């Protein structure tokens, strides 16, 4: 056989070797993490529950999920071992980087309002009363025939389905 025909098989075997190697590294890192668990550390299970390790056995751990509430889990069910700062931030809401900033409920406290600025004319975005008067005057000037046509069109559209004109 020529080397050109063997090349795809060699590439495929090489890719499989690299994928299994990276998967083994991940498994070894997870096993190392689980073996490093000690009582008192915070953990997250693969189901997303946060708890504190109470006892560590060969293939199981006892977790305290709430004060006085203990649960038995397999070591393989531990998804992550958390450091103390991260565990306290997530579970207890402790924020170590808080600089006590207060977020206001509205934007009025964010602007500097001076009493002298109130004298400046404010823009009114509403409809002007002069426009209402102009619309009324325009309607009065319409021809009576146009009004009658508009009324006839309204009544025609108001008929329900199935109704017919009686002749």
């Amino acid at each position: 056989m020529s080397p050109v025909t063997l090349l795809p098989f060699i590439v495929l075997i090489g890719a499989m070797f690299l994928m299994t190697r990276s998967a083994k590294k991940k498994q070894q890192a997870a096993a190392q993490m689980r073996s490093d668990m000690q009582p008192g550390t915070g953990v997250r299970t693969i189901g997303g529950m946060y708890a504190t390790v109470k006892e560590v056995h060969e293939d199981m751990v006892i977790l305290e999920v709430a004060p006085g509430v203990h649960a038995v889990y397999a070591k393989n069910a531990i998804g992550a071992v958390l450091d103390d700062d991260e565990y306290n931030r997530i579970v207890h809401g402790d924020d170590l980087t808080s600089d006590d900033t207060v977020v206001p409920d509205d934007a009025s406290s964010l602007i500097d309002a001076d009493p002298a600025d109130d004298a400046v004319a404010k823009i009114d975005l509403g409809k002007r009363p002069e426009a209402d008067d102009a619309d009324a005057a325009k309607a009065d000037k319409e021809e009576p025939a146009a009004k009658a046509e508009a009324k006839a069109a309204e009544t025609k559209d108001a008929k329900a389905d199935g109704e017919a004109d009686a002749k």
Side-chain angles (χ1 to χ4, degrees), residues 2-76:
S2 69
V4 175
T5 56
L6 293 176
L7 186 64
F9 294 112
I10 294 171
V11 170
L12 183 63
I13 291 171
M16 289 175 41
F17 174 73
L18 291 175
M19 285 190 291
T20 57
R21 186 172 161 209
S22 65
K24 281 186 180 182
K25 282 186 178 181
K26 288 180 184 179
Q27 287 177 349
Q28 287 175 348
Q32 179 67 30
M33 176 218 28
R34 290 183 184 112
S35 67
D36 289 344
M37 275 191 298
Q38 297 175 356
T41 59
V43 295
R44 181 181 62 236
T45 65
I46 58 174
M49 185 174 67
Y50 293 91
T52 305
V53 177
K54 284 298 172 187
E55 296 179 23
V56 180
H57 299 284
E58 188 173 324
D59 58 349
M60 69 171 199
V61 293
I62 297 178
L63 302 177
E64 184 176 32
V65 295
V69 179
H70 297 83
V72 178
Y73 276 84
K75 271 191 174 179
N76 291 337

Side-chain angles (χ1 to χ4, degrees), residues 1 7 23 27 31 38 48 55 59 62 70 78 94 109 111 117 128 130 135 139 141 145 148 156-157 159:
M1 293 181 96
L7 186 64
Q27 287 177 349
Q38 297 175 356
E55 296 179 23
D59 58 349
I62 297 178
H70 297 83
I78 304 301
D94 296 346
S109 64
I111 59 172
D117 292 341
R128 297 181 312 221
E130 301 91 36
D135 290 341
K141 292 180 182 177
K156 182 178 180 183
D157 291 339
K159 292 181 183 177

